[in-house]
Amino acid sequence: MREWDQYQLWTRETARYPSEIYAVLGLAEEAGEVAGKYAKYVRDGWTEDKLRMALLAELGDVVWMVARVADDHGILFSEIVDNNQTKLRSRVARNTINGEGDDR
């Protein structure tokens, strides 16, 4: 078992929600908070350090939510990472890394 998988299983200890839909909606919310912090960096002239600290906190929440969505559906982090690497390596090899669409 990889370290990421161990973290993912650990998140069960802090998961307190009535339905798996909570984690899906929470993931969207946390991703929005990441975008919001970056918007404040652009609009309000935050320093790079202030942005980094905000992103550190918010990205941690995103990772937790991804862990929960995946775990709720029986998917390990290692499967996600391996699948993503395979997909992206294939796109690079086929020179389809640019562009749009899932089926490139």
Side-chain angles (χ1 to χ4, degrees):
M1 180 171 289
R2 293 184 182 167
E3 188 174 345
W4 274 94
D5 295 335
Q6 291 172 353
Y7 168 81
Q8 179 183 12
L9 297 178
W10 171 84
T11 64
R12 292 175 181 174
E13 295 179 24
T14 56
R16 304 285 187 274
Y17 48 88
S19 167
E20 63 192 32
I21 192 69
Y22 171 83
V24 172
L25 297 173
L27 176 57
E29 177 185 14
E30 294 299 342
E33 289 186 25
V34 169
K37 299 302 184 195
Y38 206 90
K40 289 179 181 180
Y41 168 72
V42 171
R43 182 192 66 199
D44 299 339
W46 281 10
T47 65
E48 183 69 29
D49 189 55
K50 185 171 182 175
L51 174 64
R52 184 183 185 286
M53 296 309 295
L55 291 177
L56 182 62
E58 296 304 335
L59 289 171
D61 293 340
V62 168
V63 170
W64 188 92
M65 289 293 183
V66 170
R68 294 309 318 137
V69 170
D71 191 51
D72 286 344
H73 295 281
I75 302 168
L76 287 173
F77 260 162
S78 57
E79 292 178 90
I80 295 168
V81 171
D82 291 345
N83 183 69
N84 187 256
Q85 285 180 323
T86 298
K87 176 182 75 175
L88 294 176
R89 285 182 178 133
S90 172
R91 287 180 180 174
V92 167
R94 293 178 292 112
N95 198 29
T96 59
I97 195 74
N98 295 327
E100 296 180 20
D102 292 336
D103 298 320
R104 295 184 259 156

